[in-house]
Amino acid sequence: MRLDPAVRASGLLAVLVASGILAVHSAPSDGSVIGIWPVGVASALAIEAGRRRAPYVVPVVLVVAVLTIWQGGRPFDVALGYGIGIAVETAVVAAVLLRGRAGRPPLRTDADLRRYFLACGAAGGVGAAAGALTSWATGFGEPAEVALALGAAHTASQLTLLPFFMRLPQHGSIASPVERAAQWGASLVLTPLVFYPDQLPSMAFMVVPLLAWGALRLRPLEALAQMAATLFFAIVMTSSGRGPFAAVPQAFDLSPDTRGVLLAAYAATCALIVVPLMIRVGQHIVISREARSQRDKVQSIVDGATGIAIIGTDPEGRVTLFNPGAERLLGYSAAEMMGRSARVLHTMRSVVDKADELGTTRNYGSVVREIARPEHAGTQMRFLRQDGVERVHSMTLNRMVDDLGTIVGYVSTSEDVTDQLRAQDRLQDSLHTERQAVEQLRELDRAKDAFVSSVSHELRTPITSILGYLELLADGSYGALSPPQATALQRVSANSDRLLSLIDELLTLSRLSEDGLALSSRAFDLREVVEEGYGVVAPAWEHRRLDVSLGLPSEPVLFVGDRDMLERVVVNLLGNAVKFTPEGGSVEVCLEVADRGVAGPEIHLDVRDTGMGIPTHEIQQLFSRFFRSSLAQERAIPGSGLGLSITRAIIEKHGGVIDVESVVDRGTLFRVRLPV
């Protein structure tokens, strides 16, 4: 559980004051610097304050630095110069680490490590510059020596203390409890031992391998704590006059501040080893976890693909992966295939056939290299099952390469398509048979049309002759007729007219089937055509109780087309309306020019009746040849079922369309739409 921010800030401030006093008092009294002053804690205080409040921390750090340095026996002007340098250094570190970030800065990636090194290096540079300027301005010490001592000390302080206040990698300890105990014991025992002798400086670095060991095996915070414990021993023993660094100034006749420089260099060395190793271990663990996760995910996908054979091999073609799908499709178990050559899955005949298909050398290696090309993805290859049965697979073979482009293996994915190919062959055979049947039906249809045309032509002449003699008989050219004879003659004449009308429709239908409907083109007033068609049908309602009306526009409706054929359209539609409308109903014929806005004007010919209507499910079949409504058949209304088929063909030849709206027992609307 994290402490309240104010409590953390207060604690850090107390640590800063206490450690600052200890650092100044532990520095040589005859030296010019202030030991390893805890400027890293000052930077941590600014980091804890956050990006917005960090500027308010800098003056506090300045006051603490000046007071601790001054009360430690340094002149006030020197304390002021060093304090200003520490305050500026704190601001620089906070600016580098908190730039564009909220909360503690991370220390987990190489980019974070570079930013950390940049902040520590900048801090050391600022400390060195402040020391040199202070020494030059106050005459306190040699500027170069002061700059070296302060720069080294401040760099070491930042390097060793900042990581405690940054977001570290979130991995646990790799070491076992026994290993951890041994590691800590060795570190705590060895550090005092190597810092006890006075004349063996190199012995101090024997601790470094232990710290590296901890960075590789312990939790990040634990590794930093071990480093801090080591440096604590080093600082305490050096300050008390023990260890390899304490006697260096006297032994080599150097400045007393040299001891601090060596100690700071030692601390910096430890940090430069521990922190990067700690980050690298964290990255390795994260990458390993991701790799394991991806491996498990891929393995789950591979194992779950029971309908696909996934086979992996090394560069020499020895099987390294054989998924359950491959076991199911090929009959081998994974244990049987591991380490064996994938060559056993193909017969020599299949390899040769594939080589000939691909145009390559007739050997297994050449075929593999050719199939691995991207353009051959999804190629078909025969696989040999364990039971000796060959099956056709649709397969894709991919090379696996490393970062250097070296082939490290192959992965093939394949699916058994034998049954699909057989079904496709059967389908092709069925389609061929169907095409033959369709062609035979077309031939029969053509023969039927030719027969209908021939018979219609042959029937037209005798029917016309019969009608002529019927007229002569009706006129009395062969003598007077009795009333029963006249009635019989009238019926024969009416049925002959119906037969002649049917023959005309069959002939028109034959023309449509054979060579299309040839239309003449001339300009005329469509009103006249509608009026003439209206007149042709008029006798059909003269003796019936029907209200038949005709609506025509006052202006001419000019149109270019076949006048006779369009008149036939009017006759067919109006005749049907009259025929299917019971007594007391109404029929309306209306011609108008309608404006469709952007689409422009078009001609509408509406024929509306209040007749028996057409069932909704039969409207789509209404224009089919010989189709008659179920209601017409039930009510025994005569008709051939050809009129509407011919009507639509004529309208479409003129670039128009015909629409139908109908409700049973309420009536029907036929609307012809023609372009102006």
Side-chain angles (χ1 to χ4, degrees):
M1 182 176 180
R2 296 194 64 182
L3 297 174
D4 182 83
V7 176
R8 293 200 307 271
S10 301
L12 282 175
L13 184 59
V15 171
L16 178 64
V17 173
S19 57
I21 294 173
L22 289 175
V24 175
H25 281 283
S26 64
S29 57
D30 54 348
S32 303
V33 292
I34 52 175
I36 303 181
W37 200 87
V39 65
V41 177
S43 299
L45 186 60
I47 289 173
E48 285 292 327
R51 185 176 52 186
R52 295 182 179 179
R53 292 187 294 270
Y56 302 107
V57 173
V58 175
V60 176
V61 171
L62 173 61
V63 172
V64 171
V66 172
L67 291 178
T68 56
I69 296 171
W70 182 37
Q71 67 84 34
R74 301 298 186 265
F76 181 78
D77 54 351
V78 173
L80 181 62
Y82 289 172
I84 292 174
I86 290 172
V88 172
E89 183 178 339
T90 300
V92 168
V93 171
V96 172
L97 294 181
L98 294 177
R99 182 181 58 184
R101 297 177 181 273
R104 289 187 175 189
L107 187 56
R108 296 174 177 175
T109 66
D110 290 341
D112 299 336
L113 185 64
R114 287 193 294 270
R115 189 177 291 107
Y116 159 73
F117 283 153
L118 175 62
C120 295
V126 171
L133 289 174
T134 301
S135 176
W136 174 78
T138 62
F140 187 75
E142 291 294 329
E145 293 179 359
V146 173
L148 176 61
L150 282 183
H154 288 198
T155 301
S157 178
Q158 300 283 7
L159 285 170
T160 55
L161 295 177
L162 276 180
F164 285 97
F165 304 95
M166 301 177 73
R167 286 185 284 137
L168 303 175
Q170 296 296 311
H171 64 83
S173 175
I174 303 175
S176 66
V178 174
E179 181 184 352
R180 291 173 64 190
Q183 208 272 344
W184 270 101
S187 178
L188 295 177
V189 171
L190 185 61
T191 301
L193 290 178
V194 300
F195 273 91
Y196 186 80
D198 296 336
Q199 305 299 327
L200 295 172
S202 60
M203 291 291 292
F205 290 92
M206 291 181 62
V207 181
V208 172
L210 289 177
L211 297 180
W213 179 17
L216 290 172
R217 304 288 292 176
L218 303 179
R219 291 186 302 113
L221 193 59
E222 190 175 359
L224 291 176
Q226 190 176 84
M227 180 186 70
T230 299
L231 296 179
F232 174 77
F233 277 116
I235 293 172
V236 169
M237 297 189 73
T238 301
S239 299
S240 62
R242 301 301 305 176
F245 302 136
V248 168
Q250 293 81 12
F252 296 97
D253 193 22
L254 297 174
S255 167
D257 295 325
T258 305
R259 185 179 71 179
V261 172
L262 293 175
L263 190 58
Y266 180 76
T269 300
C270 293
L272 290 174
I273 290 175
V274 170
V275 174
L277 280 178
M278 175 185 70
I279 292 175
R280 182 58 62 192
V281 170
Q283 289 179 326
H284 175 73
I285 291 176
V286 170
I287 292 173
S288 298
R289 286 173 180 169
E290 292 177 351
R292 285 196 299 270
S293 175
Q294 292 297 325
R295 181 197 62 197
D296 294 343
K297 186 184 297 183
V298 171
Q299 188 66 45
S300 176
I301 294 173
V302 169
D303 292 343
T306 56
I308 299 176
I310 302 177
I311 303 172
T313 69
D314 61 15
E316 286 71 37
R318 292 185 291 269
V319 174
T320 58
L321 170 66
F322 204 78
N323 81 321
E327 292 180 328
R328 189 178 71 84
L329 295 179
L330 298 173
Y332 294 94
S333 68
E336 290 176 310
M337 287 301 301
M338 287 299 177
R340 296 179 64 184
S341 173
R343 175 71 178 79
V344 301
L345 300 175
H346 309 280
T347 64
M348 190 62 201
R349 183 71 263 168
S350 68
V351 172
V352 170
D353 291 345
K354 197 64 185 179
D356 293 343
E357 176 189 334
L358 299 175
T360 188
T361 308
R362 291 182 168 186
N363 62 69
Y364 182 71
S366 299
V367 171
V368 168
R369 287 189 293 272
E370 194 66 27
I371 292 178
R373 295 178 180 273
E375 60 268 23
H376 292 140
T379 189
Q380 292 178 359
M381 182 76 179
R382 297 201 301 275
F383 278 71
L384 182 65
R385 287 174 48 88
Q386 188 182 36
D387 57 10
V389 177
E390 269 194 314
R391 304 282 291 182
V392 180
H393 284 213
S394 174
M395 70 170 294
T396 297
L397 183 65
N398 294 307
R399 297 184 179 91
M400 294 187 297
V401 298
D402 59 16
D403 295 338
L404 301 178
T406 304
I407 297 176
V408 295
Y410 296 87
V411 173
S412 83
T413 56
S414 65
E415 183 180 6
D416 191 333
V417 295
T418 308
D419 295 336
Q420 297 178 24
L421 293 176
R422 290 173 180 171
Q424 185 176 352
D425 291 341
R426 289 194 295 269
L427 178 60
Q428 292 291 338
D429 293 340
S430 299
L431 289 175
H432 179 68
T433 303
E434 184 180 351
R435 281 193 291 268
Q436 289 181 324
V438 169
E439 188 58 36
Q440 291 175 354
L441 289 174
R442 286 175 179 169
E443 186 64 31
L444 289 173
D445 195 48
R446 285 192 290 268
K448 178 205 68 176
D449 291 340
F451 173 76
V452 169
S453 177
S454 175
V455 170
S456 299
H457 278 290
E458 293 298 325
L459 287 175
R460 185 178 180 83
T461 300
I463 291 298
T464 303
S465 177
I466 290 171
L467 285 172
Y469 280 105
L470 288 173
E471 289 181 4
L472 292 175
L473 287 172
D475 292 341
S477 300
Y478 297 101
L481 299 175
S482 65
Q485 290 174 332
T487 300
L489 185 63
Q490 185 180 3
R491 291 178 179 176
V492 172
S493 179
N495 286 318
S496 297
D497 287 335
R498 285 180 57 192
L499 184 58
L500 184 61
S501 175
L502 175 60
I503 291 171
D504 287 340
E505 288 180 344
L506 288 173
L507 288 172
T508 302
L509 181 63
S510 177
R511 291 167 58 193
L512 287 170
S513 301
E514 292 176 356
D515 54 3
L517 192 60
L519 302 176
S520 62
S521 294
R522 53 178 176 157
F524 53 87
D525 186 351
L526 201 55
R527 296 180 304 171
E528 298 176 357
V529 173
V530 175
E531 193 169 12
E532 290 173 1
Y534 183 86
V536 170
V537 186
W541 70 76
E542 284 183 351
H543 304 291
R544 295 184 58 192
R545 290 186 299 104
L546 289 179
D547 181 12
V548 184
S549 62
L550 174 64
L552 299 174
S554 57
E555 299 293 330
V557 181
L558 297 180
F559 192 77
V560 176
D562 191 308
R563 182 187 182 108
D564 295 337
M565 286 298 175
L566 288 175
E567 181 181 330
R568 183 167 189 156
V569 168
V570 177
V571 170
N572 285 350
L573 294 178
L574 180 56
N576 280 350
V578 171
K579 181 168 57 175
F580 293 113
T581 301
E583 301 295 324
S586 64
V587 177
E588 178 185 357
V589 181
C590 180
L591 178 68
E592 63 177 359
V593 178
D595 189 357
R596 295 191 301 162
V598 178
E602 67 179 9
I603 299 169
H604 287 180
L605 172 62
D606 293 349
V607 179
R608 186 189 306 271
D609 65 63
T610 59
M612 64 183 184
I614 305 162
T616 303
H617 65 277
E618 296 182 353
I619 289 180
Q620 294 296 327
Q621 309 174 58
L622 197 58
F623 297 99
S624 302
R625 297 177 184 177
F626 303 106
F627 175 79
R628 302 194 66 230
S629 167
S630 59
L631 294 179
Q633 297 180 43
E634 290 173 4
R635 301 178 188 184
I637 299 176
S640 64
L642 294 174
L644 288 178
S645 175
I646 295 171
T647 297
R648 186 172 68 171
I650 295 172
I651 293 170
E652 290 178 348
K653 284 289 185 178
H654 285 85
V657 294
I658 182 169
D659 301 322
V660 184
E661 297 177 9
S662 184
V663 178
V664 174
D665 293 330
R666 295 184 60 182
T668 303
L669 167 65
F670 284 92
R671 169 165 290 174
V672 177
R673 295 187 285 129
L674 295 169
V676 173

